[in-house]
Amino acid sequence: MENRVCKLIEGGTSEVVVKKSRFLGITFPIETAEEAAEQIAGIRKKYYDARHNCYAWRLVGAEKFSDDGEPSQTAGKPMLDVLTGANLTGALVVVTRYFGGTLLGTGGLVRAYTEAAQEAVKNSKMTEIRPKRKVTCRVQYPDLGRIQYIFREAGLEPDTDFQERITLTAEVPDEQVTHLSAAITEATAGKAELQVGELYIG
């Protein structure tokens, strides 16, 4: 995964016309697969008279697409490729097609759905976010000063819990985790107890 990821915060729309077929694109910010399904159902209800309502969505660790009756790999997958290429997460794109009477062929369909998705994404609002991991470090009191210095050098302010052993917890950008862990291990001669959590977007 790239160190920087974009998250959709406000949807956009597009309209592409190819040989009288209209392709209406729209993006939605989503947090869950269920939310994506609700938005897709809403679009299908709104554009009930359309020939196709194709979609693609991406969340952290999950993605899905549908050609909705178009030839395989000509709609949903190219739309998903647009989201992937933009490194965009928390995003759903739906492209509704009103058939214009002329077959476009597989290449024409791929181009049309890609363009509609790209334009809708371009007209959306996004914010840059970074993949992180929760790092928990348990150390003895004599090592505390060195560990606090390492966190500060990394630009991090950990939460600190003073018990029999001291626990420092911080949300660490993924690209810093390896270096931070190595520095803590070296500073404590391997005595620090380190736990690194799952990757998440924050």
Side-chain angles (χ1 to χ4, degrees):
M1 183 180 285
E2 296 290 332
N3 287 335
R4 283 172 174 77
V5 177
C6 288
K7 184 177 182 180
L8 193 70
I9 56 174
E10 187 176 312
T13 60
S14 66
E15 181 172 353
V16 173
V17 179
V18 182
K19 295 182 180 178
K20 298 184 180 180
S21 276
R22 292 173 65 219
F23 296 83
L24 308 176
I26 186 167
T27 58
F28 299 91
I30 57 167
E31 297 291 339
T32 64
E34 290 75 19
E35 194 175 339
E38 289 174 10
Q39 296 288 10
I40 294 162
I43 288 293
R44 284 178 171 156
K45 185 175 180 180
K46 181 178 180 180
Y47 298 114
Y48 66 91
D49 55 340
R51 179 70 68 91
H52 307 280
N53 288 289
C54 306
Y55 67 82
W57 57 257
R58 286 187 86 216
L59 294 166
V60 177
E63 60 187 30
K64 188 177 181 180
F65 65 86
S66 169
D67 296 310
D68 193 36
E70 292 282 29
S72 178
Q73 305 287 305
T74 62
K77 182 59 166 60
M79 291 159 59
L80 180 63
D81 289 344
V82 169
L83 299 182
T84 304
N87 217 12
L88 189 57
T89 189
L92 162 69
V93 58
V94 184
V95 176
T96 297
R97 181 189 182 189
Y98 282 91
F99 184 57
T102 303
L103 297 174
L104 303 184
T106 55
L109 288 172
V110 169
R111 286 190 293 272
Y113 280 103
T114 298
E115 183 181 349
Q118 286 174 334
E119 286 297 310
V121 167
K122 189 171 77 172
N123 294 328
S124 305
K125 288 186 180 178
M126 292 162 272
T127 187
E128 195 175 85
I129 53 180
R130 301 170 82 183
K132 298 179 181 178
R133 295 181 190 271
K134 183 178 178 181
V135 174
T136 303
C137 173
R138 294 182 180 87
V139 297
Q140 301 289 358
Y141 275 83
D143 294 322
L144 178 60
R146 289 193 294 273
I147 301 306
Q148 287 177 323
Y149 176 78
I150 290 169
F151 274 102
R152 280 198 301 271
E153 283 292 289
L156 301 166
E157 289 291 334
D159 293 328
T160 307
D161 181 27
F162 294 90
Q163 300 292 335
E164 183 179 339
R165 297 189 82 187
I166 304 164
T167 302
L168 299 94
T169 306
E171 295 179 342
V172 182
D174 189 47
E175 69 270 20
Q176 292 182 247
V177 169
T178 300
H179 176 75
L180 183 75
S181 300
I184 291 171
T185 299
E186 183 180 348
T188 63
K191 292 183 293 183
E193 183 184 328
L194 274 171
Q195 289 181 320
V196 178
E198 294 293 322
L199 194 68
Y200 67 96
I201 299 295

